[in-house]
């Protein structure tokens, strides 16, 4: 299997790992967001969604393990690519003209990625952990609405989601390019879909803390 | 020409006496015709420097018509300067404003070390070509012209990729110093044509391995390379390279590397 690891660790291979795990995460975010949006239906709707998760717990546990692996590969590999790329350009130019040949989104993947990672850790510690550690007794709606009512927590959440949008905007089309799916006819469509997806995802997630902070129960 | 039609420019040029020494920017003031090319302006500065027994500025050039690929300079942060789809030798001073300050730097990449001043060592590209950027032709009778049919659109696409002049501006423009635009253009050119089929898998495997050996970075799809490439090589070539590499790795019987 040495050829396999050699391929995965090559410059092209590392990118393919990023693209593949990235696409899985794109799909996961859609499912996660769909679940979150039941919060708009009020406590009952959200509780019944949480109830469904409870019923299929064994399946959720398996998905969680796979998801953790996907996240770890994406994060570890992303940092490795960034580090290797930094070493490949030890001296930068005195005049910075990067805005003339590339987008801000594409140049800041490591920055937006790291902030989303910090968010992810916080998210696991403040929502996922209390819910899962507390057994069936804790009310997920109470945890979530409580967190979102805290302005500092809510605003960090909103900013992180905006940056997640930046990350997805570049990442979506980038994954297609890396997997070799760049066709003259369809690629601009893929880029547009990516931007729409990124915008809707960011707005979808960020709208919840805004709702709980400023509109809920007023 | 009348003197007041000339452009007065301030240049900040990178001077570095050898690969090991520490370089710095040196200021030069020039008065140059708007019709001069960027390299002709440097020639004029060098004539002056030599007249005064000073060390001329080292830079590379050969054809001066945009086909050899030796003349890359980074001008105000952009490889081959601000104009799109032209090499430094085809960039004319009329594209600059009177009184402007112009920064001239060598290509920056770990795999392209500075030799002197603005000249960098791009032999890594030659090594990548030697690793697989060719087709093997056996001796024998001359085949009839057009005996292998190739569709016009395929031939055109291969030709677009073959337009790469190996200048290295893609590496210079890339924040990751990735050589993938160059390598992908070569891989694509052969992958599209019947003559490239026998060595197709081993070619892409060997060229990517060689590229990695020299410490070029990993493409992160910023597409700065396409924007700065003097020949307008498309990043679709990189998509094809990725696909060629993936399919070669899956299908080839090569288990060594
Ligand atoms: S792809 Fe373009 S920029 Fe890169 S070496 Fe070829 S001609 Fe130069
Ligand atoms: S000198 Fe040949 S391309 Fe510029």
């Amino acid at each position: 299997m040495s050829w396999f690891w050699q391929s995965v660790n090559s410059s092209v291979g590392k990118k393919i790992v990023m693209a593949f795990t990235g696409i899985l995460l794109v799909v996961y975010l859609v499912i996660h967001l769909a679940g979150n949006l039941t919060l708009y239906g009020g406590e009952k709707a959200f509780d019944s969604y949480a109830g469904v998760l409870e019923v299929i717990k064994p399946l959720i546990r398996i998905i969680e393990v796979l998801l953790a692996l996907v996240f770890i590969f994406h994060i570890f590999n992303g940092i490795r690519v960034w580090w290797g790329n930094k070493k490949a350009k030890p001296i930068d130019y005195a005049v910075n003209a990067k805005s003339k040949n590339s987008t801000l989104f594409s140049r800041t993947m490591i920055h937006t990625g790291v902030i989303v990672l910090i968010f992810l850790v916080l998210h696991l510690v403040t929502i996922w952990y209390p819910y899962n550690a507390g057994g069936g007794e804790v009310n997920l709606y109470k945890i979530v609405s409580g967190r979102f009512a805290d302005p500092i927590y809510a605003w960090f959440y909103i900013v992180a989601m905006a940056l997640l949008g930046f990350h997805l905007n570049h990442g979506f089309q980038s994954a297609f390019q890396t997997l070799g799916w760049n066709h003259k006819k369809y690629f601009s469509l893929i880029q547009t879909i990516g931007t729409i997806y990124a915008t809707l995802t960011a707005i979808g997630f960020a709208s919840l803390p805004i709702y709980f902070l400023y509109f809920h129960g007023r | 020409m009348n003197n007041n039609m000339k452009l007065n420019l301030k240049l900040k040029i990178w001077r570095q006496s050898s690969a090991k020494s520490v370089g710095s920017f040196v200021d030069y003031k020039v008065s140059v015709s708007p019709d001069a090319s960027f390299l002709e302006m440097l020639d004029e500065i060098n004539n002056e420097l030599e007249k005064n027994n000073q060390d001329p500025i080292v830079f590379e050039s050969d054809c001066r018509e945009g086909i050899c690929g030796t003349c890359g300079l980074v001008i105000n942060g952009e490889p081959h300067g601000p104009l799109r789809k032209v090499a430094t030798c085809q960039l004319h001073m009329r594209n600059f404003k009177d009184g402007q300050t112009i920064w001239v730097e060598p290509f920056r990449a770990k795999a392209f070390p500075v030799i002197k001043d603005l000249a960098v060592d791009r032999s890594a590209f030659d090594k990548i070509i030697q690793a697989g950027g060719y087709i093997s032709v056996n001796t024998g009778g001359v085949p009839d012209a057009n005996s292998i049919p190739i569709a016009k659109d395929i031939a055109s696409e291969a030709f677009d990729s073959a337009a790469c002049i190996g200048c290295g501006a893609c590496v210079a423009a890339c924040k990751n110093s990735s050589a993938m635009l160059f390598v992908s253009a070569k891989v694509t050119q052969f992958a599209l044509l019947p003559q490239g089929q026998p060595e197709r898998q081993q070619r892409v495997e060997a060229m990517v391995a060689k590229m990695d050996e020299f410490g070029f970075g990993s493409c992160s799809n910023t597409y700065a390379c396409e924007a700065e490439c003097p020949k307008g090589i498309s990043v679709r070539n990189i998509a094809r390279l990725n696909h060629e590499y993936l399919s070669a790795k899956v299908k080839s019987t090569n288990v060594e590397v």
Side-chain angles (χ1 to χ4, degrees):
Chain A
M1 282 300 268
S2 69
W3 66 269
F4 177 79
W5 292 114
Q6 187 273 336
S7 312
V8 169
N9 287 322
S10 72
S11 56
V12 179
K14 278 185 281 194
K15 289 298 303 167
I16 291 173
V17 171
M18 288 315 283
F20 188 67
T21 51
I23 284 183
L24 292 176
L25 293 174
V26 158
V27 174
Y28 166 69
L29 283 179
V30 174
I31 300 167
H32 190 328
L33 178 59
N36 282 17
L37 291 179
T38 60
L39 276 169
Y40 281 121
E43 190 164 351
K44 270 224 174 71
F46 192 68
D47 276 350
S48 67
Y49 160 65
V52 172
L53 293 186
E54 209 51 54
V55 171
I56 54 169
K57 201 87 196 192
L59 181 67
I60 296 286
R61 286 286 175 255
I62 294 170
I63 293 174
E64 275 174 349
V65 170
L66 295 177
L67 199 59
L69 285 175
V70 171
F71 265 109
I72 289 167
F73 266 98
H74 193 77
I75 293 163
F76 167 75
N77 200 59
I79 292 173
R80 197 162 66 123
V81 168
W82 166 76
W83 181 244
N85 285 347
K86 243 178 106 69
K87 280 197 303 191
K89 197 157 210 98
I91 306 173
D92 209 350
Y93 299 109
V95 182
N96 185 335
K98 293 187 178 75
S99 60
K100 293 187 181 146
N101 56 32
S102 54
T103 63
L104 181 69
F105 306 115
S106 71
R107 295 193 306 271
T108 52
M109 289 302 272
I110 185 70
H111 311 99
T112 51
V114 164
I115 292 170
V116 172
L117 170 61
I118 294 170
F119 166 81
L120 176 68
V121 173
L122 190 76
H123 181 66
L124 289 176
V125 172
T126 56
I127 294 178
W128 182 85
Y129 184 76
Y131 178 58
N132 285 280
E137 301 308 307
V138 268
N139 182 319
L140 187 56
Y141 186 85
K142 290 251 153 50
I143 299 177
V144 174
S145 55
R147 292 292 181 205
F148 283 166
D150 170 3
I152 297 174
Y153 187 93
W155 273 102
F156 178 65
Y157 192 102
I158 294 163
V159 170
M161 289 306 102
L163 295 177
L164 173 66
F166 281 25
H167 198 79
L168 292 170
N169 183 39
H170 176 71
F172 191 92
Q173 55 84 32
S174 188
F176 283 79
Q177 162 79 3
T178 298
L179 293 173
W181 300 325
N182 181 341
H183 191 284
K184 214 174 188 167
K185 271 187 194 159
Y186 311 114
F187 199 64
S188 61
L189 180 67
I190 289 173
Q191 286 177 312
T192 311
I193 293 174
T195 302
I196 294 171
Y197 165 80
T199 313
L200 290 182
T201 305
I203 292 176
F205 279 112
S207 70
L208 289 162
I210 293 175
Y211 170 71
F212 276 96
L213 203 52
Y214 298 111
F215 300 102
H216 184 64
R218 306 222 163 172
Chain B
M1 186 192 283
N2 179 327
N3 239 4
N4 45 27
M5 283 198 55
K6 290 204 166 184
L7 293 169
N8 294 302
L9 301 166
K10 193 172 162 206
L11 288 139
K12 286 182 170 292
I13 300 179
W14 184 260
R15 302 298 310 260
Q16 180 175 339
S17 54
S18 71
K20 294 246 157 17
S21 60
V22 185
S24 64
F25 287 98
V26 176
D27 290 1
Y28 297 90
K29 279 206 163 63
V30 287
S31 178
V32 68
S33 157
D35 297 328
S37 76
F38 205 88
L39 299 186
E40 283 163 349
M41 177 194 64
L42 293 179
D43 289 338
E44 285 181 19
I45 297 176
N46 277 348
N47 288 342
E48 281 301 309
L49 289 174
E50 280 178 359
K51 243 188 250 164
N52 299 326
N53 270 330
Q54 283 175 303
D55 210 11
I57 302 158
V58 174
F59 63 92
E60 279 190 272
S61 79
D62 188 13
C63 72
R64 299 213 173 187
E65 56 180 11
I67 53 170
C68 74
T70 57
C71 64
L73 300 175
V74 175
I75 301 162
N76 283 342
E78 287 185 277
H80 295 298
L83 276 199
R84 292 293 173 246
K85 295 193 189 176
V86 293
T88 304
C89 57
Q90 300 167 296
L91 175 67
H92 290 87
M93 299 318 295
R94 53 178 167 272
N95 296 297
F96 297 90
K97 283 192 221 72
D98 191 46
Q100 194 177 343
T101 302
I102 305 174
W103 293 73
V104 190
E105 301 175 66
F107 283 0
R108 297 292 190 193
K110 180 170 159 253
F112 286 169
V114 171
I115 300 169
K116 189 173 179 180
D117 297 336
L118 302 171
V120 298
D121 180 0
R122 285 170 299 178
S123 54
F125 268 18
D126 301 334
K127 300 278 160 44
I128 294 173
I129 292 293
Q130 283 161 13
Y134 53 80
I135 55 163
S136 303
V137 178
N138 299 320
T139 53
V142 182
D144 282 341
N146 298 326
S147 59
I148 309 169
I150 302 168
K152 168 73 175 80
D153 52 342
I154 301 288
S156 300
E157 211 185 328
F159 187 82
D160 285 346
S161 301
C164 165
I165 55 177
C167 65
C170 40
V171 175
C174 177
K175 75 175 179 65
N176 314 320
S177 295
S178 167
M180 286 195 195
L181 194 64
F182 165 75
V183 173
S184 69
K186 304 299 170 193
V187 164
T188 300
Q189 168 195 340
F190 294 120
L192 286 171
L193 297 175
Q195 292 86 343
Q197 300 314 307
E199 288 145 324
R200 185 170 175 175
Q201 292 175 346
Q202 80 187 55
R203 173 180 305 112
V204 65
E205 291 189 341
M207 288 180 83
V208 169
K210 198 42 102 182
M211 165 175 88
D212 291 355
E213 200 183 301
F214 278 102
F216 290 102
S218 203
C219 175
S220 64
N221 302 333
T222 71
Y223 309 140
C225 52
E226 179 184 284
E228 301 293 357
C229 171
K231 296 294 141 181
I233 301 292
S234 162
V235 294
R236 275 193 301 281
N237 287 276
I238 301 181
R240 189 180 291 274
L241 169 76
N242 296 335
H243 183 261
E244 288 286 319
Y245 184 79
L246 188 59
S247 88
K249 281 296 176 190
V250 172
K251 291 187 220 155
S252 83
T253 51
N254 176 14
V255 289
E256 303 291 301
V257 273

